[in-house]
Amino acid sequence: LAKMVEGRSPGFVGHFLVTHFFNPVRYMKLLEIIPGPGTDAAVTARMADFCRDDLGKGVVYAKDTVNFIANRIGVHGMMAALQAWLTDGYGIDEIDTIFGEPMGRPRSAIFRTADVVGLDTFGHVARNCYDNLPQDEERDIFLLPPVVEKLIAEGRTGQKAGGGFYKKVGKQIMVLDPETMAYVPQNKPRFESVGAARQLSDPGARIKTIALADDRAGKYAWKVLSASLVYAANRLGEISDDVVSIDRAMCWGFNWSIGPFQIWDAIGLQTVADKLQGEGRAVPQVVATMLAAGQSRFYGDGVGYTASGVLEAVSPLPGIHLDAVRKGSEVVASNPSAELLDLGDGVLCLAFRSKMNALDDKIIGMGQQALEWLDAGRWQAMVITNDGANFSVGANLMFIAGFAQAGKWRELEGAVKSFQDFNQRMKLSRAPIVSAPHQMALGGGCEVSMHASRMQAAAETYMGLVEVGVGLLPGAGGTKEMVVRALSGIPADVKMDRFPLLQRTFEFIAMAKVATGAGQMREMGFLREVDGWSIDGDRRIADAKRVALSLLAAGYKPPQPADNLVLPGADGVATIDMGLNAFKWGGYASEHDCVVGHQIARVICGGDQAGVKTEQQLLDLEREAFLSLAGEAKTQERVGHMLKTGKPLRN
């Protein structure tokens, strides 16, 4: 920035600052704002407000230094990992097993992340540090190892070039052997400390478990992590004046679960300092000063450490965060898969917490309890959401497979009907209910979201009815609701051809189309005109609560069941079956695809008899079709394959 404003007028300098976005800009939350000493504070504040409120970014303030905050700390950490890889004899697959989610890093870990970024881009950022940081005590770590230079020179720059540290050969992902520069099959390394860490939910506890372990994983993790912790502590005051900005930059820019100073606190300042001294390494001055003053943490209750040596209030993130809700009030009710929380102002929150937020009988049971309290007037409104990585990946397949394989059809029908009844009761509830999905909202997650009075989705929500991937159809009211929405606003006595609208609905379900963001959700009918979305995912729960309260203030009245569902019956089914057969004869669909498609067609066309259908009649058809498909051997093969591999089977 200093070079860019050199020689400019005071008015120019006052209105100039740097905004550093992270790629891809749509998905990466971090925005580093770098004002200069002459930048007008009001200009800085206005830009921060715009980027935070209108673009949904996580704003941190950095100083005018090389690579600012996140790239300075993040690239240093990745280079430390590369150096240890080459000197300590670890394999790429070993390192990515250690430095993935168990260590609070993204699943892509170290080498996959470099491949995604591009080795040429990564190399450019590293060279920028080396060339422009002559006084940095760790300058030499930014020199690219010869093996990386060679990969770049040969055009093996990562995912965009078809290969880097990893390369797909046929259906197999191979990994680079740095000795031969050839690609070899991956191993599946297992480490005791990593296995133990996977059992812990708190990221700080996971990191501490691995970093202090004495096994092969622990030794590597400590070597690389401690280098990052020391480097980050030595940069406080140079790249930013507070630990909060550095921690948030690493979480938002590199997808760390917690930042370096939060990691210091999780392991313990004294523990890290003792271990460093035991290895003959210098303790960062800021840590030595804190320990000498009897201060053992970078964070206190609502405060964070600054370069000036004082604790300042941590600026809260916008919106409502469920961790804070749990700390601020007692949990209203809970079971292993769900909990009810008090959002204040008479608004209840149904939050999922099962594995991957898969929907099961415990979540439905908790939801039914909430609806009873709403009906009784104990609560005035409800928000359905959670703070997991994804809103919900769908119904619990293991639960469905268990009933089907045991031939417990009555029990399975009861479970499906219970899910249908919950969604339909929620749709017709006297109290306003707002769903607030985010990231993946698939299958049952989509169905729950659609049946709420309103939906307030995060802009980055990926929603779809994907049940055909396991040989089923949406059975919790999703098929019915798509028909209701397709025919919305068309009175029963209007003479018109409704089949094209139903055919479009069939395509969405039969092709398992997933909307990639809120705009496409609206195009596909998942979001109605009355629904909304939050550009900043941090605000969606607060926005959902606001919507619920506004509905209350406006005298909310529940909708009446649809009375305009004029459906074509057997003629419509026959037309869709003809199209399915054409796809089969052309090699685009399997025999079982046609079986599934036929059952979907029967529901959306209202069964065999044409005429006006009720929502309940469609629900009955939907449930019947679901059970029929669950009994098919090929559906059970698809379900088993998905449970085993996480991928759909075309059979």
Side-chain angles (χ1 to χ4, degrees), residues 139-218:
R139 184 191 183 202
D140 286 348
I141 207 169
F142 293 105
L143 277 172
L144 288 178
V147 62
V148 180
E149 293 275 22
K150 187 172 183 180
L151 285 171
I152 295 172
E154 293 175 354
R156 292 194 271 176
T157 54
Q159 187 170 285
K160 63 187 176 185
F165 291 118
Y166 292 91
K167 183 176 183 178
K168 188 173 184 180
V169 180
K171 293 185 177 181
Q172 188 175 9
I173 304 295
M174 309 284 275
V175 67
L176 181 75
D177 178 347
E179 296 293 328
T180 65
M181 296 300 287
Y183 294 97
V184 298
Q186 294 186 66
N187 296 313
K188 293 184 178 180
R190 293 182 179 275
F191 304 102
E192 184 177 346
S193 61
V194 173
R198 291 187 190 278
Q199 306 304 311
L200 304 173
S201 59
D202 179 66
R206 292 201 305 268
I207 294 168
K208 182 176 182 179
T209 295
I210 299 174
L212 298 185
D214 197 38
D215 65 354
R216 183 171 169 82

Side-chain angles (χ1 to χ4, degrees), residues 46-345:
R46 182 181 175 189
M47 180 59 76
D49 289 344
F50 168 71
C51 293
R52 186 184 299 112
D53 299 340
D54 295 88
L55 302 184
K57 294 298 175 184
V59 173
V60 301
Y61 296 96
K63 293 192 173 185
D64 189 20
T65 56
V66 175
N67 285 348
F68 310 127
I69 299 175
N71 276 340
R72 182 81 174 271
I73 302 297
V75 172
H76 172 275
M78 292 180 72
M79 292 300 294
L82 289 179
Q83 303 289 358
W85 162 54
L86 294 170
T87 59
D88 294 4
Y90 285 78
I92 286 175
D93 38 13
E94 283 188 298
I95 293 170
D96 276 359
T97 297
I98 299 167
F99 260 93
E101 291 173 312
M103 281 292 289
R105 304 295 175 88
R107 186 176 298 178
S108 55
I110 303 294
F111 292 94
R112 287 189 191 278
T113 296
D115 274 358
V116 170
V117 170
L119 302 191
D120 49 348
T121 302
F122 174 68
H124 174 75
V125 178
R127 287 191 202 98
N128 192 43
C129 286
Y130 182 80
D131 292 343
N132 294 288
L133 294 170
Q135 305 304 317
D136 192 312
E137 78 279 5
E138 291 277 295
R139 184 191 183 202
D140 286 348
I141 207 169
F142 293 105
L143 277 172
L144 288 178
V147 62
V148 180
E149 293 275 22
K150 187 172 183 180
L151 285 171
I152 295 172
E154 293 175 354
R156 292 194 271 176
T157 54
Q159 187 170 285
K160 63 187 176 185
F165 291 118
Y166 292 91
K167 183 176 183 178
K168 188 173 184 180
V169 180
K171 293 185 177 181
Q172 188 175 9
I173 304 295
M174 309 284 275
V175 67
L176 181 75
D177 178 347
E179 296 293 328
T180 65
M181 296 300 287
Y183 294 97
V184 298
Q186 294 186 66
N187 296 313
K188 293 184 178 180
R190 293 182 179 275
F191 304 102
E192 184 177 346
S193 61
V194 173
R198 291 187 190 278
Q199 306 304 311
L200 304 173
S201 59
D202 179 66
R206 292 201 305 268
I207 294 168
K208 182 176 182 179
T209 295
I210 299 174
L212 298 185
D214 197 38
D215 65 354
R216 183 171 169 82
K219 291 174 181 176
Y220 179 86
W222 167 255
K223 182 173 185 177
V224 175
L225 177 66
S226 61
S228 285
L229 296 183
V230 169
Y231 192 72
N234 285 335
R235 303 282 77 75
L236 184 62
E238 177 188 342
I239 61 176
S240 183
D241 283 331
D242 61 279
V243 298
V244 177
S245 291
I246 295 174
D247 281 346
R248 288 180 176 176
M250 295 314 300
C251 293
W252 290 337
F254 277 74
N255 289 329
W256 290 19
S257 297
I258 56 176
F261 294 99
Q262 292 168 310
I263 296 173
W264 270 101
D265 281 359
I267 299 176
L269 269 65
Q270 190 68 61
T271 299
V272 175
D274 289 347
K275 197 166 173 60
L276 290 172
Q277 289 176 324
E279 296 170 348
R281 297 163 65 189
V283 175
Q285 185 59 53
V286 63
V287 175
T289 300
M290 290 172 68
L291 291 174
Q295 192 167 340
S296 61
R297 296 182 63 83
F298 282 106
Y299 287 90
D301 187 13
V303 294
Y305 197 78
T306 63
S308 59
V310 299
L311 293 169
E312 291 185 355
V314 174
S315 59
L317 297 175
I320 293 173
H321 299 270
L322 298 187
D323 276 346
V325 173
R326 294 182 189 99
K327 292 175 183 176
S329 62
E330 288 187 15
V331 174
V332 178
S334 68
N335 64 36
S337 297
E339 57 189 347
L340 296 175
L341 305 171
D342 182 358
L343 295 184
D345 302 311

